[in-house]
């Protein structure tokens, strides 16, 4: 069965391609290489022994998307990762985000609605909850006004899919990720941000390598046990496996609604200092960091209630924060020592 993975050379996409191939799916990747390298294909081959098909396409090009579905008319399902994801950049350049994250989604759905049936998995985010009132966060917690154009593209994306599924043969699962971290245990693939990392874990591992002088911890006066902000860090391999399970649910018509939504997290919150200490433990290195004032727009805490994913999908995160930090560290060292 052939599955299209858009953004399949990116961080979460590449790990998902590995899990799909391990489960016997044939994968075709679309990626425009705007935030990934073609070398990732070799990493996937080294892990799975199988080379995914690859088409270098910019999904903002409607005609190219149409041509793709003419060429690959046997695609049974789509996992849509391709998007721009830097929150700060989205504030500076909102139209880039609305164009990339919304047009690409619309063009894909326009092609899928022509098929007798279609299964669609969408990368959403816990940013849709903003600072939720109750922890842990359940899927029925209210969606709050987005704090950035990036966050807004996830909310609008969910609405577009809901509206489209009502009147087409498209069934969809919206996966709201908490904080994906780590790398494949083989260190063949991992997160490789361009420029200064936006996320905590690559910033930590780059600081560990000496590429960054020190890590800034924004705020130690939050109402949390140690005063630093709390998030739910989920190992990317666990996250990737959830995509395969969600896809199988749609392909096997086990879904009970046209559009279903699941939180993907561990269910446990970890503070910034806990993440730093986990890194120090697994790397046996002291991490230089300084405490800075809170950053505008940062929330205090967010961690998932994972009951729905556990009970309905039959998926549960297996890997620990230490395993995630250790794999991220292995990957960073391998990349830098090449
Ligand atoms: N990483 C996170 O913290 C996180 C959290 C929540 C949600 N998400 C969402 O998950 C998805 C994947 O995230 P990621 O961390 O793997 O990001 P990533 O940047 O590593 O992967 C995205 C991939 O999509 C490609 N891409 C972007 N625009 C494209 C276009 N127009 N046409 C074709 N390819 C294009 C990029 O080259 C990249 O390889 C994104 O939708 C992101 O918004 C990520």
């Amino acid at each position: 069965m052939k599955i299209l993975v858009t953004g399949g050379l990116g961080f979460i996409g590449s790990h998902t391609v590995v899990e799909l191939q391990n489960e016997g799916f044939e994968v075709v990747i679309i990626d425009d290489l705007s935030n990934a390298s073609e070398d990732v294909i070799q990493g996937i081959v080294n892990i799975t022994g199988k080379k995914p098909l690859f088409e270098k396409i910019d999904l903002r090009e409607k005609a190219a998307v149409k041509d793709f579905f003419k060429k690959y008319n046997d695609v049974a399902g789509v996992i849509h990762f391709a998007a721009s994801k830097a929150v700060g950049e989205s504030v500076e350049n909102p139209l880039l985000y609305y164009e990339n994250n919304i047009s690409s989604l619309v063009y894909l759905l326009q092609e899928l609605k022509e098929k007798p049936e279609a299964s669609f998995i969408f990368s959403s985010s816990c940013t849709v909850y903003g600072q939720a009132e109750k922890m842990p966060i359940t899927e029925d917690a209210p969606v709050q006004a987005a704090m950035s154009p990036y966050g807004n593209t996830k909310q609008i994306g969910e609405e577009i899919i809901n509206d489209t599924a009502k009147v087409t043969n498209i069934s969809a699962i919206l996966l709201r990720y908490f904080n994906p971290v780590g790398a494949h245990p083989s260190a063949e693939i991992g997160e490789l941000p361009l420029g200064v990392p936006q996320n905590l874990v690559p910033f930590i591992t780059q600081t560990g390598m000496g590429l960054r002088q020190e890590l800034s911890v924004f705020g130690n006066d939050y109402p949390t046990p140690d005063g630093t902000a709390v998030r739910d860090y989920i190992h990317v391999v666990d996250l990737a496996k959830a995509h395969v399970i969600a896809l199988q649910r749609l392909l096997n018509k086990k879904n009970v609604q046209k559009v279903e939504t699941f939180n993907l997290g561990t269910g446990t919150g970890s503070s910034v200092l806990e993440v730093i200490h986990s890194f120090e433990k697994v790397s046996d290195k002291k991490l230089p960091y300084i405490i800075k004032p809170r950053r505008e727009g940062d929330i205090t805490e967010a961690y998932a209630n994972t009951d729905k994913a556990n009970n309905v999908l039959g998926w549960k995160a297996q890997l620990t924060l230490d395993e995630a930090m250790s794999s991220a560290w292995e990957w960073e060292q391998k990349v830098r020592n090449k």
Side-chain angles (χ1 to χ4, degrees):
M1 219 177 239
K2 198 174 281 162
I3 305 302
L4 165 61
V5 181
T6 76
L9 297 183
F11 172 42
I12 308 169
S14 57
H15 289 81
T16 303
V17 170
V18 164
E19 298 305 325
L20 284 167
Q21 294 197 155
N22 283 344
E23 287 299 313
F25 288 101
E26 192 186 346
V27 174
V28 53
I29 293 172
I30 287 183
D31 203 298
D32 67 352
L33 304 179
S34 57
N35 198 31
S37 148
E38 217 170 324
D39 298 345
V40 173
I41 295 177
Q42 192 53 50
I44 294 170
V45 173
N46 292 347
I47 300 168
T48 63
K50 277 182 265 178
K51 190 171 180 177
L53 298 163
F54 170 54
E55 297 283 346
K56 182 175 180 293
I57 289 173
D58 181 342
L59 289 164
R60 288 172 298 187
E61 289 175 23
K62 187 176 170 145
V65 176
K66 200 174 222 9
D67 288 346
F68 171 88
F69 281 97
K70 271 193 206 130
K71 181 169 172 188
Y72 296 94
N73 58 10
D74 56 344
V75 164
V78 177
I79 307 185
H80 181 44
F81 292 105
S84 302
K85 64 164 184 178
V87 173
E89 186 188 42
S90 80
V91 175
E92 304 287 315
N93 195 349
L95 292 179
L96 172 79
Y97 277 68
Y98 287 117
E99 186 191 21
N100 199 25
N101 297 6
I102 303 299
S103 314
S104 304
L105 172 64
V106 170
Y107 299 156
L108 282 170
L109 294 175
Q110 277 173 338
E111 293 309 313
L112 292 179
K113 81 172 170 41
E114 301 307 323
K115 292 180 167 289
E117 56 185 23
S119 300
F120 192 79
I121 308 283
F122 180 64
S123 294
S124 190
S125 166
C126 68
T127 56
V128 302
Y129 300 119
Q131 178 58 73
E133 262 176 35
K134 271 194 278 165
M135 292 298 133
I137 305 171
T138 53
E139 286 81 354
D140 53 18
V143 167
Q144 301 212 34
M147 288 194 279
S148 69
Y150 167 74
N152 207 19
T153 65
K154 292 297 169 193
Q155 298 192 7
I156 297 169
E158 289 195 359
E159 287 170 10
I160 290 172
I161 294 166
N162 274 308
D163 290 343
T164 307
K166 274 184 208 147
V167 292
T168 63
N169 292 323
I170 301 170
S171 295
I173 291 184
L174 314 175
L175 297 175
R176 292 177 175 163
Y177 315 153
F178 280 65
N179 292 66
V181 293
H184 196 270
S186 63
E188 292 287 350
I189 52 173
E191 187 171 10
L192 199 51
L194 298 174
V196 181
Q198 307 282 318
N199 291 336
L200 177 63
V201 172
F203 209 108
I204 288 179
T205 54
Q206 289 195 9
T207 308
M209 283 308 279
L211 297 171
R212 313 263 156 219
Q213 231 176 14
E214 64 192 1
L215 174 79
S216 301
V217 176
F218 296 103
N220 65 349
D221 55 353
Y222 283 105
T224 59
D226 64 23
T228 63
V230 165
R231 300 285 182 274
D232 185 340
Y233 295 93
I234 169 140
H235 198 302
V236 66
V237 171
D238 276 331
L239 190 69
K241 288 183 174 160
H243 287 75
V244 181
I245 294 171
L247 179 73
Q248 282 165 332
R249 178 173 172 84
L250 291 181
L251 293 173
N252 297 330
K253 303 198 181 342
K254 292 279 181 341
N255 52 312
V256 290
Q257 287 168 302
K258 276 303 278 297
V259 181
E260 296 178 324
T261 304
F262 295 96
N263 283 341
L264 295 180
T266 62
T268 304
S270 303
S271 72
V272 177
L273 291 182
E274 282 172 328
V275 178
I276 292 173
H277 294 147
S278 167
F279 172 79
E280 291 183 329
K281 182 166 94 186
V282 302
S283 67
D284 208 14
K285 263 179 174 293
K286 211 78 206 118
L287 195 79
Y289 68 88
I290 52 163
I291 306 289
K292 289 218 177 129
R294 293 182 188 191
R295 249 185 336 197
E296 207 190 310
D298 274 355
I299 57 170
T300 303
E301 59 179 351
Y303 53 96
N305 177 314
T306 59
D307 288 351
K308 191 173 173 199
N310 298 164
N311 300 331
V312 179
L313 280 184
W315 167 90
K316 198 173 182 15
Q318 304 289 335
L319 300 164
T320 63
L321 179 63
D322 283 353
E323 284 168 307
M325 296 309 289
S326 167
S327 63
W329 180 229
E330 289 294 316
W331 162 248
E332 185 75 57
Q333 292 177 91
K334 181 168 170 196
V335 169
R336 303 301 162 188
N337 294 329
K338 254 187 193 164

